[in-house]
Amino acid sequence: MAKQHLLFIFSLILSASCFAQTEADSVVFKRTISPSLYLDYGKLVTIPSNFETKYEGGIELLFLEKFPLIVEVGQATLSPEGAYSNGTYESRGFYYRIGAGYYSQFLAKSKIGLTLRYASSTFSEDGRIFIESPSGTQGNFVQNLVREDLKATWYEVVVYSDQKLSDLFTIGLNIRLRVLANYDEQSPVDVYAIPGYGRAFDKSIPAANFFLKLTF
């Protein structure tokens, strides 16, 4: 009888050990914090163009592989042709965004997610508007634009997706909807373009950017 009890107890211990090992094997290890640096390489394509030059990157802290905290910084110079029909225009400055959200594992090496971000830009404008009187009966109109320390803020809803290339490198796409909150309005000629946001008279702007992420 004692032998049967010992055999039963041994069988329970062996079964429990096997079950525990199976459970342990099925658990996916999740890092508490995963720090990453990333570069918006899509912006580099715009460098040869006359319209815009941008450099942008960011830092991400991903908690439990689900909850990101993101800080983005960038520098941009915008020189849109046709901003004024008779004149020149350039806007340049620095901007940052900060936000948080949620990521979900979509495939074995892919994530999708949604984040909300607050953004702010500090910039300056240089321009010149020239209107010549065709008949010469009136004087020519010249308006020089030299403005410093202008500020603007906006909010972004960002749909995130990525594809893991290796343990170190990930590529991805952010699809953004920017909603302007406020900016330093000017008269008689208002602000035309805000670095990091776009044209000031557009109260909402869709945008997209490609990024390369380096995870440590």
Side-chain angles (χ1 to χ4, degrees):
M1 193 67 164
K3 290 183 178 180
Q4 290 179 347
H5 286 163
L6 288 175
L7 182 61
F8 178 71
I9 293 171
F10 177 76
S11 299
L12 285 178
I13 293 173
L14 181 62
S15 299
S17 299
C18 292
F19 179 76
Q21 183 63 40
T22 302
E23 286 292 308
D25 292 342
S26 65
V27 173
V28 178
F29 175 74
K30 292 186 177 181
R31 297 176 62 184
T32 303
I33 302 178
S34 301
S36 299
L37 297 175
Y38 66 89
L39 170 69
D40 183 351
Y41 68 87
K43 300 299 186 226
L44 301 179
V45 177
T46 66
I47 291 177
S49 72
N50 294 324
F51 173 73
E52 181 182 53
T53 302
K54 272 191 179 182
Y55 303 93
E56 183 177 308
I59 299 173
E60 178 187 273
L61 295 178
L62 185 60
F63 296 90
L64 300 176
E65 300 185 13
K66 289 185 177 182
F67 307 102
L69 177 64
I70 303 163
V71 177
E72 300 171 300
V73 294
Q75 183 275 332
T77 300
L78 288 78
S79 304
E81 295 182 4
Y84 304 119
S85 57
N86 296 288
T88 60
Y89 177 83
E90 184 176 273
S91 174
R92 59 184 179 274
F94 294 89
Y95 58 92
Y96 72 87
R97 308 183 190 99
I98 184 169
Y102 177 80
Y103 294 164
S104 176
Q105 197 73 35
F106 178 59
L107 296 173
K109 294 185 177 182
S110 298
K111 285 187 175 68
I112 58 174
L114 182 70
T115 63
L116 301 177
R117 307 185 192 185
Y118 168 84
S120 178
S121 179
T122 301
F123 61 102
S124 62
E125 289 186 308
D126 288 317
R128 186 171 187 268
I129 301 172
F130 179 79
I131 301 176
E132 183 178 2
S133 174
S135 64
T137 57
Q138 296 180 344
N140 298 329
F141 174 80
V142 178
Q143 175 73 52
N144 291 316
L145 303 177
V146 181
R147 299 164 176 166
E148 302 287 342
D149 295 325
L150 300 176
K151 299 183 184 301
T153 59
W154 66 94
Y155 298 95
E156 296 187 0
V157 179
V158 183
V159 178
Y160 171 97
S161 65
D162 71 18
Q163 174 67 42
K164 192 172 184 179
L165 302 179
S166 67
D167 290 338
L168 191 60
F169 295 107
T170 300
I171 58 173
L173 170 68
N174 283 323
I175 300 175
R176 306 172 184 267
L177 178 63
R178 300 169 178 163
V179 179
L180 188 61
N182 60 70
Y183 68 96
D184 293 337
E185 298 184 25
Q186 303 294 306
S187 61
V189 180
D190 202 3
V191 170
Y192 186 86
I194 301 169
Y197 178 80
R199 297 179 302 187
F201 55 83
D202 289 328
K203 301 309 177 186
S204 63
I205 297 177
N209 65 289
F210 297 93
F211 62 83
L212 173 66
K213 183 187 292 186
L214 178 66
T215 302
F216 300 97

